[in-house]
Amino acid sequence: MTGFLDKAYGTKDTAATRRLYDDWAASYDAEIAENGYATPGRCAAALAGFTTDKTVPILDFGCGTGLSGLALKLAGFTVIDGLDLSADMLAEARKKGIYRDLSVVAGTGAPPIPKGQYSAIAAIGVIGVGAAPIHVLDDLMRALPRGGKCVFSFNDHALQDPVHEARVMEWTDCGAARLLFREHGDHLPGIGVKSNVYVLEKA
Ligand SMILES: C[S@@+](CC[C@H](N)C(=O)[O-])C[C@H]1O[C@@H](n2cnc3c(N)ncnc32)[C@H](O)[C@@H]1O
């Protein structure tokens, strides 16, 4: 299959990222499944391990076509909202019937998430090279209440750029968050890419 994966790590700004995902929306699930996309299941299991009440609404930021929402649902979460840059990815997510609400975000400035609305936020396969910039991690952490949890992943491309892990440490080093979980494992085994999965708890 001629796909988009080879282009996904090369976009340079928000407009280019949105275009890429709009164009990719119809074939994303097939191409990603063909390469064994493992990160959503790993993230969902990690978050579930630190969650007692899975009926509390959670946000799937950068939900794309809904593969991350599907993994969260399979891990037991029952009320999931989704936000994404790409209207075409969201249209695919809508078809899956997993989400309570789905909305487009501009991708410039902080996303419109009322502070404290969600006690858990996921950003699965979202932050990194050719995707959302690292300040999105700050935006999501600021939107959480105390004790709220953010599960997110950095793939090997993101891990090669030290700004990504450094931002996690900025949150933990000053005591603003606690690192509950970090694990390196499969991301897209079909192309030999791995990822780190993190769960941060806001102090
Ligand atoms: C690799 S896909 C992951 C989608 C989904 N979470 C999954 O695991 O399949 C990355 C998604 O992040 C979205 N995205 C990229 N930058 C974003 C931003 N700044 N704000 C919101 N969504 C963004 C893209 O539109 C795309 O749907």
Side-chain angles (χ1 to χ4, degrees):
M1 184 190 296
T2 306
F4 286 83
L5 261 176
D6 56 336
K7 303 183 188 80
Y9 306 122
T11 60
K12 299 234 174 325
D13 57 33
T14 302
T17 301
R18 177 182 284 117
R19 260 196 316 276
L20 171 88
Y21 283 101
D22 278 347
D23 291 347
W24 195 358
S27 59
Y28 177 90
D29 285 9
E31 184 176 0
I32 288 292
E34 186 173 89
N35 287 288
Y37 191 30
T39 294
R42 293 174 52 222
C43 285
L47 182 63
F50 296 102
T51 307
T52 43
D53 182 1
K54 299 201 191 85
T55 66
V56 171
I58 69 170
L59 176 66
D60 184 11
F61 184 82
C63 62
T65 61
L67 293 181
S68 40
L70 182 59
L72 290 164
K73 186 180 173 184
L74 291 172
F77 295 95
T78 58
V79 185
I80 310 167
D81 293 336
L83 293 176
D84 202 277
L85 201 58
S86 159
D88 290 343
M89 293 291 271
L90 284 173
E92 294 297 322
R94 201 161 282 117
K95 289 182 198 166
K96 291 192 174 66
I98 292 166
Y99 295 92
R100 177 179 68 171
D101 286 321
L102 286 168
S103 307
V104 180
V105 287
T108 50
I113 308 167
K115 189 169 176 183
Q117 180 168 340
Y118 298 102
S119 57
I121 300 179
I124 300 174
V126 175
I127 300 171
V129 180
I134 186 61
H135 73 73
V136 165
L137 178 63
D138 300 334
D139 298 334
L140 300 181
M141 289 298 292
R142 286 191 195 110
L144 287 172
R146 273 188 177 191
K149 294 175 188 72
C150 186
V151 61
F152 58 97
S153 61
F154 294 151
N155 66 26
D156 285 341
H157 298 282
L159 290 171
Q160 272 168 21
D161 182 342
V163 301
H164 294 104
E165 283 242 285
R167 194 62 63 92
V168 178
M169 299 315 148
E170 276 175 34
W171 277 91
T172 56
D173 286 355
C174 69
R178 208 155 60 95
L179 184 61
L180 300 180
F181 184 90
R182 176 173 60 189
E183 178 205 70
H184 197 236
D186 280 345
H187 177 59
L188 288 165
I191 55 168
V193 177
K194 294 188 171 238
S195 65
N196 265 1
V197 166
Y198 306 80
V199 180
L200 273 182
E201 179 182 54
K202 189 164 171 183

